[in-house]
Amino acid sequence: MSTVPPRACGEVCSDAAEVVIVTGLDGDQATGIDPAGVTICFAAELVAPLALGARVLVHAGAAIGRIA
Amino acid sequence: MSATEREVAGRLATEIARLAGEEHVRFMEVCGGHTHTIYRYGIPSLLPENVEFVHGPGCPVCVIPMGRVDDAIALATEETVTLCCFGDLLRVPGGRGSLMEARAEGADVRIVYSPLDALALAEREPDRQVVFLAVGFETTAPATALTVLRAAARGVANFSVLCNHVTIEEPLRALLGAPGVALDGLIGPGHVAVVTGAAAFGFVAKEFSLPIVVSGFEPNDLLESVAMLLRQRHSGRWRAENQYRRAVSDEGNLAAQAVMAQVFTRRARFAWRGLGEIERSAYGLREEFSRFDAERRFAVPGITVPDPRACRCGEVLRGVRKPWQCGVFGTACTPERPIGTCMVSSEGACAAYYHYGRLGGLRREPAVGR
């Protein structure tokens, strides 16, 4: 699974999550758009069930929470 | 920041000034993400001078001891091993250089954005032993746990984890119970609380008689959290409040807590940079997942390295010294050539001050020890 394409700085922080809008669902996997406009793929089972358009917090390739 | 957000910020700043009065108050932002926001947006310049931010131990890269970096380098230099880690770990100095330097010398070190990427790499390259260098608090640990469960379900034999996941509660207890740490309240880590729940921070109020507010990461989130802390001070009743309600519930993410409990067990003790060894403050893999534990699969040396004498990261992480009060800050130690971990990560207090300090407290607080 490829989660996020490399960014210019080549860094991802070890403990910061980002808000992603869900654009696709496929079982335990989902795709979404991150704040930079990049489409990412992430594990979704920890916040299941999800709906398209939901906003979730994604960290290290897994959604860990929902944004109300 | 929009006009509406600026208006809200102004209103909150006015309320904070009114509530703060003349008394000097010190609030610790536990999370490095908050430190980054505070200095990136120049929040101290909006507040009265008697409201002071103190930085806490919540940057996972900053608290990793040098010996664990050396352990990772030792693994990475094994011929069959591909070591995967997040990008902010690459430049963290160990006693014998960094992972970036090890890579330059030929070690197979790769940046990943998720432990799941490391697992996919192991499946693509079955002849390599792929080790994921796992670092982070409860925010990151669920993704690692999920990856181990997937590795087990798929029977991936060449994947393992060098586990350095840590908890937030035990270092906070150690810090708040230590002599010489004078605080008036804590800004709680929002992303950790997404997993643990806001109620998990109730011990701060109950056992240490301090207010704590779990906060979001926008500038106005932090301003509102400061106002909430001051309101608690005025009421004289300490409790764990939740400013970040749009993401954090009282009980947290129960599914994430369940996968962590399934995969991890608490280590008896773990060494923290600046805080020393703290009991039950880190996670290791449970016996049933020992085949994915790099410390059992390989001969990890278990190196112990004292922190460099010139570096004051330990005191910065305990909130007893400001970054610019370190003799090497901004001179021998810069983001390009860091000596201490706090200068490496974008969430580290030293890096935040280095990049954005002129917007915040540096303008009014004199340099010490430089």
Side-chain angles (χ1 to χ4, degrees), chain B residues 289-343:
Chain B
F289 297 103
S290 59
R291 64 191 183 282
F292 300 110
D293 188 344
E295 288 178 83
R296 302 192 206 195
R297 184 178 291 192
F298 303 97
V300 177
I303 296 167
T304 304
V305 182
D307 292 334
R309 292 181 66 180
C311 171
R312 302 294 183 186
C313 274
E315 289 157 274
V316 171
L317 291 167
R318 293 199 306 275
V320 297
R321 190 181 281 260
K322 294 290 171 66
W324 70 88
Q325 293 172 327
C326 171
V328 293
F329 173 78
T331 52
C333 183
T334 64
E336 290 74 32
R337 288 186 166 274
I339 292 175
T341 49
C342 297
M343 190 59 96

Side-chain angles (χ1 to χ4, degrees), chain B residues 3 8 10 40 69 114 134 141 180 183 199 211 213 231 253 277 303 320 337 365-366:
Chain B
V8 171
R40 181 175 182 188
V69 177
S114 165
L183 297 172
V213 175
R231 281 182 218 137
N253 184 332
E277 288 214 335
I303 296 167
V320 297
R337 288 186 166 274
E365 295 180 63

Side-chain angles (χ1 to χ4, degrees), chain B residues 134-155:
Chain B
V135 168
F137 288 90
E138 287 91 342
T139 323
T140 323
T144 302
L146 209 55
T147 304
V148 170
L149 290 175
R150 287 192 183 181
R154 295 178 196 167

Side-chain angles (χ1 to χ4, degrees), chain B residues 78-98:
Chain B
E78 292 217 8
E79 201 168 316
T80 58
V81 168
T82 296
L83 188 103
C84 297
C85 67
F86 297 144
D88 61 352
L89 277 167
L90 268 190
R91 290 182 303 118
V92 175
R96 297 185 300 167
S98 65

Side-chain angles (χ1 to χ4, degrees), chain B residues 342-356:
Chain B
C342 297
M343 190 59 96
V344 177
S345 168
S346 61
E347 289 202 354
C350 297
Y353 270 91
Y354 186 89
H355 288 300
Y356 308 116

Side-chain angles (χ1 to χ4, degrees), chain A residues 6-19:
Chain A
R7 296 171 192 176
C9 63
E11 292 199 2
V12 61
C13 171
S14 294
D15 231 61
E18 56 188 13
V19 178

